[in-house]
Amino acid sequence: MKRIISMILVCIVVFSVSAPMFAQNEYVEKLESKGLIKKFDNGTYGLDKTITRGEVVEVAIKMLGLQYEIPQESKEIYLDIPKDSYLEDYINIATQKDLVSGYSNGKFEPNKEITYAEFVTIMVRVLKGQVNENKWPDNYIEKAIEMKLIDGIEDLYKPIIREEAYAILYQVIDRLRTKVVMVTDMGGINDQSFNESAWEGFNRARDKFDIDISYFEPANGLYFEPSFETVNSNTDLIFGIGFMLIESILEQAQLNKEYKYVAVDVSTEEIPENLTCILFKYEEASFLAGYIAGKMTKTNKIGFVGGFVGELIDGFRYGYEAGALYANQDVEIVSQYTETFSDANKGKELANKMYKDNVDIIFHAAGGAGDGVIESAKENNKYVIGVDRDQSHLAPNHVLTSAVKNIENAVESVIKDYMEGNFKGGQEVYYGIKENGVGLAQSTNKLVPKEILEEIEKVKEEISNKKIIVPKNYDEFLKFKNSI
């Protein structure tokens, strides 16, 4: 029995020692995976060894992504750095970025052990912490405690060992991660539509670029300003989803030049340099929907139900009509409007009349009113084409396809551009078939024959190559119609 108890005690002791080591290895390995640290020749990280000034400056420059920057000519470069030393550029850049300063006699001494005070100062400067103008190093120590990088330091001028330095570095690299947040519209994150699709794009981007993502759902109906004011702090890239947020996001972009903003599926006349407007070539997806309708109609009579007459719905209507005529020049197209985006009964009423007048396929671009069109298709045993997202679940045997906006692809693309330094501020960025920003729902293959799907692929290629220029208004439609 004593032997068993002894073995248990040994296991407990071993576990208590090993558990911190696992946690320690986790952050050390993370730093190594980012190329910030490396093992010694003996295969260890030398966690009980001190770290030098030169090493810390190299890590700081790499954390900030400045290692490829060409340093400006500077007379302030320390005199003890050999011209052929790889550290010369790192230290020169660090000096110009004010990460290091104050070393006397023109010497930096890169091989000298760095003290707690020096190390903490560089880390605070890396994070752009604003310090009070009181005596160094107390001002930086106070800021580091305020930023929760450290709890306190007993001896400020003692060399810091790697284990403690790496623990702080791990916190700093985590805080340097790009932070991307989106403000949803009224539907919230689980709307099964725009917000949810955008969030999917966020998650894809996080997996590719190791960014920090979050979302904020407005609590006060149509008042979005407080939402943006909440997320502005300590955020790099801020998305607003849908047309309802344009006034708020525009105001915030004008007030906060230091942040970058993205308006999804909406634009404005004057776009600030720190705002990108994502727009979709929905007429191209509508063209594909029209092509399917033109090919699959049995009566040679198809319909379109729009929400309101105007530029927005014109793109859906005339893209659809052009696609139908491209597939079948004998097809007749009946188009009507609900004058509402919310009254499903109105949509159903118009659809019922069309189906009774020998229309056998209807494409709707009428928001919630379109739900009535889908209900009518079910009751009349006809076909309908959904919009914006895959609506086949509403009537699996009657929704031929849906003309969708791939918001997740567009959002991921914008984040990618930002991460690669190609943020397209001050302009509209359009996503069409070529950019995989619009298309047809994945469920299309359930009701549409294979041969038509193969034709659709050729049509998509012709649109991408601009052999087909899809019309988005009446004048362009007439020109297209006369060309076929």
Side-chain angles (χ1 to χ4, degrees):
M1 177 63 71
K2 289 182 179 179
R3 185 177 180 184
I4 293 174
I5 294 174
S6 297
M7 291 178 64
I8 293 173
L9 289 173
V10 168
C11 291
I12 292 173
V13 171
V14 170
F15 179 78
S16 65
V17 172
S18 301
M21 188 175 297
F22 286 127
Q24 169 185 286
N25 286 343
E26 180 182 346
Y27 71 71
V28 170
E29 289 170 3
K30 176 95 177 265
L31 294 173
E32 183 184 33
S33 71
K34 290 183 173 296
L36 299 178
I37 64 173
K38 58 184 178 181
K39 291 181 180 178
F40 286 94
D41 292 339
N42 63 5
T44 71
Y45 293 104
L47 298 180
D48 59 339
K49 310 287 185 186
T50 56
I51 190 167
T52 66
R53 288 175 176 173
E55 289 177 281
V56 172
V57 164
E58 181 181 354
V59 170
I61 294 300
K62 287 181 176 179
M63 283 197 300
L64 291 171
L66 300 174
Q67 63 267 38
Y68 304 113
E69 186 167 311
I70 300 174
Q72 301 171 8
E73 290 295 327
S74 173
K75 295 180 181 179
E76 297 179 4
I77 185 69
Y78 296 100
L79 302 176
D80 61 324
I81 310 301
K83 291 296 181 183
D84 58 349
S85 169
Y86 79 97
L87 279 175
E88 180 188 13
D89 282 349
Y90 287 120
I91 296 170
N92 200 343
I93 293 170
T95 302
Q96 291 165 3
K97 301 294 184 182
D98 198 32
L99 297 181
V100 296
S101 61
Y103 294 103
S104 60
N105 302 322
K107 292 184 178 181
F108 179 72
E109 298 180 274
N111 295 321
K112 186 174 182 178
E113 297 170 330
I114 194 167
T115 65
Y116 280 89
E118 292 174 283
F119 180 81
V120 167
T121 298
I122 293 175
M123 293 302 105
V124 169
R125 289 178 174 180
V126 164
L127 292 174
K128 299 180 180 179
Q130 299 297 315
V131 298
N132 296 322
E133 295 300 324
N134 55 345
K135 188 177 179 180
W136 183 88
D138 293 340
N139 51 352
Y140 280 94
I141 300 303
E142 289 172 3
K143 175 55 67 172
I145 293 173
E146 179 187 324
M147 299 172 76
K148 298 183 179 179
L149 289 178
I150 59 174
D151 294 324
I153 299 175
E154 293 182 3
D155 186 350
L156 303 180
Y157 302 102
K158 178 183 177 182
I160 187 170
I161 63 171
R162 292 173 187 273
E163 181 175 7
E164 294 176 270
Y166 290 171
I168 296 173
L169 283 173
Y170 183 79
Q171 295 182 64
V172 173
I173 194 69
D174 186 61
R175 297 191 192 185
L176 285 173
R177 292 172 71 194
T178 297
K179 293 176 173 55
V180 185
V181 63
M182 81 173 187
V183 177
T184 74
D185 67 9
M186 292 175 62
I189 196 66
N190 296 313
D191 65 348
Q192 298 184 359
S193 186
F194 282 12
N195 297 313
E196 192 168 331
S197 296
W199 187 238
E200 181 181 338
F202 267 58
N203 280 277
R204 286 188 201 166
R206 178 195 59 192
D207 295 341
K208 289 184 180 179
F209 298 104
D210 191 29
I211 60 175
D212 185 89
I213 63 171
S214 59
Y215 64 86
F216 193 87
E217 297 177 323
N220 297 316
L222 302 178
Y223 296 100
F224 298 103
E225 289 85 354
S227 303
F228 284 105
E229 291 168 2
T230 299
V231 303
N232 275 337
S233 178
N234 198 31
T235 303
D236 300 292
L237 187 62
I238 302 165
F239 283 71
I241 311 299
F243 72 93
M244 298 177 71
L245 282 74
I246 186 58
E247 291 186 9
S248 298
I249 201 169
L250 178 59
E251 179 182 354
Q252 291 299 310
Q254 292 169 335
L255 290 173
N256 304 289
K257 301 295 185 183
E258 67 273 29
Y259 301 121
K260 299 291 190 296
Y261 295 85
V262 183
V264 179
D265 204 29
V266 65
S267 187
T268 183
E269 287 186 10
E270 295 185 10
I271 306 174
E273 287 300 315
N274 60 333
L275 172 64
T276 290
C277 292
I278 294 178
L279 296 172
F280 297 88
K281 297 180 180 179
Y282 41 80
E283 69 275 8
E284 293 185 354
S286 301
F287 187 95
L288 301 182
Y291 188 91
I292 288 177
K295 284 289 183 179
M296 293 191 65
T297 178
K298 304 297 183 184
T299 64
N300 261 2
K301 191 174 182 180
I302 63 175
F304 172 80
V305 173
F308 290 90
V309 176
E311 183 179 346
L312 175 65
I313 301 303
D314 279 355
F316 290 98
R317 173 181 173 176
Y318 293 113
Y320 173 71
E321 292 188 7
L325 288 173
Y326 190 73
N328 178 2
Q329 294 188 39
D330 295 325
V331 72
E332 178 185 350
I333 308 162
V334 179
S335 296
Q336 295 186 24
Y337 296 85
T338 59
E339 299 299 328
T340 174
F341 282 123
S342 58
D343 189 348
N345 288 330
K346 184 65 174 178
K348 185 175 182 179
E349 178 186 330
L350 291 180
N352 280 339
K353 186 175 185 305
M354 285 187 184
Y355 286 134
K356 288 177 181 177
D357 289 341
N358 212 32
V359 167
D360 60 350
I361 300 173
I362 298 175
F363 173 43
H364 89 83
D371 291 348
V373 178
I374 295 174
E375 185 64 27
S376 174
K378 287 169 59 177
E379 292 180 2
N380 288 281
N381 196 27
K382 302 290 185 181
Y383 285 131
V384 64
I385 296 175
V387 74
D388 286 342
R389 65 189 188 279
D390 189 344
Q391 295 190 304
S392 61
H393 65 284
L394 297 176
N397 296 320
H398 301 278
V399 178
L400 273 179
T401 183
S402 298
V404 300
K405 298 174 185 176
N406 297 321
I407 291 179
E408 66 279 9
N409 295 336
V411 165
E412 181 185 1
S413 176
V414 171
I415 296 175
K416 176 177 181 293
D417 285 345
Y418 176 84
M419 295 299 295
E420 294 176 351
N422 298 318
F423 181 76
K424 299 179 176 65
Q427 59 182 292
E428 297 174 339
V429 181
Y430 283 86
Y431 289 86
I433 287 175
K434 183 177 182 180
E435 298 80 17
N436 198 23
V438 299
L440 298 177
Q442 293 184 351
S443 62
T444 304
N445 59 5
K446 294 181 180 178
L447 297 177
V448 179
K450 181 179 179 181
E451 57 269 22
I452 295 179
L453 293 176
E454 290 173 351
E455 292 175 23
I456 284 290
E457 290 304 311
K458 294 178 182 178
V459 172
K460 287 168 63 176
E461 186 176 342
E462 290 178 321
I463 292 174
S464 296
N465 295 333
K466 296 186 177 180
K467 291 182 179 179
I468 296 176
I469 305 298
V470 179
K472 54 183 178 294
N473 55 49
Y474 180 68
D475 290 339
E476 291 179 3
F477 171 72
L478 286 181
K479 183 178 179 181
F480 177 88
K481 184 178 179 181
N482 292 331
S483 70
I484 58 176

